[in-house]
Amino acid sequence: MSDWALVVDDDEMNLIMASHILTKVNMRVSCMKSGRDALEFLEKNKPDIILLDIHMPGIDGFETIAAIRKNRETAEIPVIFLTADDDIGAETRGLQSGAMDFIRKPFMPEVFLARIRHTIDLHRLQTSLTREVEKKTLEVVAQQKKIERIMLQVVNALAGAIDAKDTYTNGHSARVAEYSKKIAERLGLSEEEQDELYIIGLLHDVGKIGIPDDIINKTDRLTDEEYAIIKKHPVLGAGILENITDMPKLLTGARWHHERYDGKGYPDGLSGEDIPPEARIIAVADAYDAMSSNRSYRNVMPQQAVREEIEKGKGTQFDPVYADAMLSLIDEDTEYSMKEK
């Protein structure tokens, strides 16, 4: 198919000359005598190139190209300005308006054709490159999303393996991750921060891998020595995760989710805002799930009792801001769906 040019000029002789030169090289030509006529023509047609006179009555070339660029359907059509002026200011303004070149009148056929062919070829190359970049970008994004899905599946599998060590904590890590994300959403954190907190929540108990099963699953009261061993799991978890340097906050959830706002927690006795915010959020979510899940020594606690414990822990066990966010989630959960099923 031959290339198609729209020539816009109020001078009949210029239209005849341009049409004569272009049709000799088998180009299809449409001619318009005003900017307004050209814009109406472009509502239903999409030529390969527009040759646009600057000085025309009514809508001049600058106003016409502005309208062309504003319309999404015509914005990418290459435009060459036609001018009889030797005005650097007009050329500068034209290029800033989106013109790709200038052709001076009267037309010299060889120069006229060369500039038009060069502009069409350049535009097609740019379009081709843009499409190729977009295609490659989509492929990279798709691959990245696939990697992210695989990573999440691996993390979920690991979290499930951790929970499987304890007969009474089936699904605990996934629920803590979900509650942590809900708290983050309630506090207005970004989607990226919410997703990051979800992953941190999934792996907060990874250190339990290093705790003997007989201690984790003991139904009787733990001895002081056994409790001391249990309390090692945050440090063990941090040690496991510390080499994941692309996501350093993973270890904060693992190491400090048993710290208390009043400084009476473990393993480091941190208090207040010295405890990383991710760990403070997970601490609330972790405590909530412990109370809203079955344990060897009791069934799921009533929702009101759980709420009272969270309220009681504000400012001592929990950061008050994050505790209030959890309380608002509880108050909205009228069916008590946030619990172990």
Side-chain angles (χ1 to χ4, degrees):
M1 179 182 289
S2 61
D3 293 320
W4 182 12
L6 170 63
V7 185
V8 187
D9 197 310
D10 63 324
D11 188 316
E12 182 74 25
M13 288 305 299
N14 287 331
L15 292 178
I16 292 172
M17 184 176 293
S19 182
H20 176 71
I21 295 170
L22 294 173
T23 53
K24 285 186 69 174
V25 292
N26 297 318
M27 282 191 72
R28 179 183 174 190
V29 182
S30 297
C31 295
M32 298 289 149
K33 289 187 175 181
S34 71
R36 191 175 300 282
D37 289 344
L39 294 176
E40 290 179 3
F41 174 84
L42 290 169
E43 288 178 2
K44 297 181 179 179
N45 301 278
K46 192 172 181 181
D48 297 296
I49 191 167
I50 300 170
L51 308 179
L52 180 62
D53 187 23
I54 292 180
H55 301 295
M56 296 182 292
I59 301 176
D60 68 11
F62 296 121
E63 293 173 293
T64 304
I65 194 174
I68 290 170
R69 293 291 175 251
K70 189 175 181 180
N71 185 337
R72 186 173 62 180
E73 296 299 318
T74 59
E76 299 302 320
I77 300 175
V79 174
I80 295 179
F81 270 134
L82 307 176
T83 180
D85 297 337
D86 189 12
D87 184 349
I88 297 299
E91 289 197 15
T92 301
R93 183 181 174 189
L95 293 171
Q96 290 174 340
S97 299
M100 293 187 69
D101 202 352
F102 279 79
I103 296 178
R104 302 207 178 280
K105 298 184 283 188
F107 307 131
M108 296 179 61
E110 295 81 3
V111 175
F112 187 74
L113 288 173
R115 292 203 166 186
I116 291 172
R117 174 50 53 201
H118 170 76
T119 299
I120 291 174
D121 290 346
L122 179 60
H123 178 258
R124 284 180 176 158
L125 177 61
Q126 290 173 334
T127 301
S128 177
L129 287 173
T130 298
R131 288 174 179 168
E132 188 63 23
V133 169
E134 289 173 349
K135 177 184 175 184
K136 293 299 181 183
T137 299
L138 289 174
E139 290 175 358
V140 169
V141 169
Q143 184 66 19
Q144 184 177 4
K145 288 185 178 297
K146 180 179 179 181
I147 292 170
E148 288 174 355
R149 287 196 302 271
I150 292 171
M151 185 196 76
L152 186 57
Q153 290 167 5
V154 170
V155 172
N156 270 296
L158 179 57
I162 296 163
D163 291 347
K165 283 177 64 70
D166 188 339
T167 308
Y168 292 95
T169 59
N170 182 41
H172 167 70
S173 296
R175 290 192 299 273
V176 170
E178 186 62 35
Y179 302 153
S180 297
K181 185 175 181 179
K182 286 179 180 290
I183 293 172
E185 181 182 16
R186 181 57 51 97
L187 293 168
L189 274 65
S190 68
E191 286 190 20
E192 183 178 352
E193 290 171 315
Q194 293 174 38
D195 291 340
E196 183 179 52
L197 195 54
Y198 184 86
I199 301 294
I200 295 170
L202 281 175
L203 295 178
H204 78 284
D205 266 346
V206 68
K208 286 186 176 179
I209 288 176
I211 305 300
D213 290 359
D214 59 336
I215 295 179
I216 288 179
N217 289 298
K218 187 176 180 181
T219 55
D220 299 333
R221 182 181 178 84
L222 293 174
T223 66
D224 290 344
E225 292 77 12
E226 290 168 335
Y227 185 54
I229 292 172
I230 284 283
K231 288 172 67 177
K232 290 180 180 179
H233 81 271
V235 175
L236 292 173
I240 292 170
L241 300 174
E242 66 182 355
N243 290 324
I244 305 179
T245 55
D246 285 341
M247 199 171 181
K249 289 183 180 179
L250 277 180
L251 70 82
T252 66
R255 185 177 184 98
W256 292 302
H257 68 279
H258 280 297
E259 299 289 356
R260 289 172 52 106
Y261 198 71
D262 60 10
K264 296 180 180 179
Y266 64 90
D268 299 312
L270 301 182
S271 64
E273 295 190 3
D274 288 339
I275 306 169
E278 298 81 16
R280 280 179 272 152
I281 290 174
I282 291 171
V284 179
D286 188 41
Y288 175 84
D289 187 65
M291 292 184 282
S292 59
S293 302
N294 292 307
R295 290 293 184 264
S296 59
Y297 48 88
R298 61 155 174 78
N299 292 324
V300 173
M301 290 173 58
Q303 188 185 44
Q304 185 57 34
V306 175
R307 192 192 191 287
E308 290 171 0
E309 289 299 317
I310 298 291
E311 183 73 50
K312 188 190 302 181
K314 284 173 55 176
T316 53
Q317 184 173 355
F318 310 121
D319 182 318
V321 173
Y322 301 146
D324 280 337
M326 188 74 246
L327 289 170
S328 68
L329 290 170
I330 294 171
D331 292 340
E332 292 176 6
D333 184 20
T334 56
E335 300 298 321
Y336 197 14
S337 61
M338 291 195 305
K339 64 180 179 181
E340 182 181 3
K341 303 299 189 289

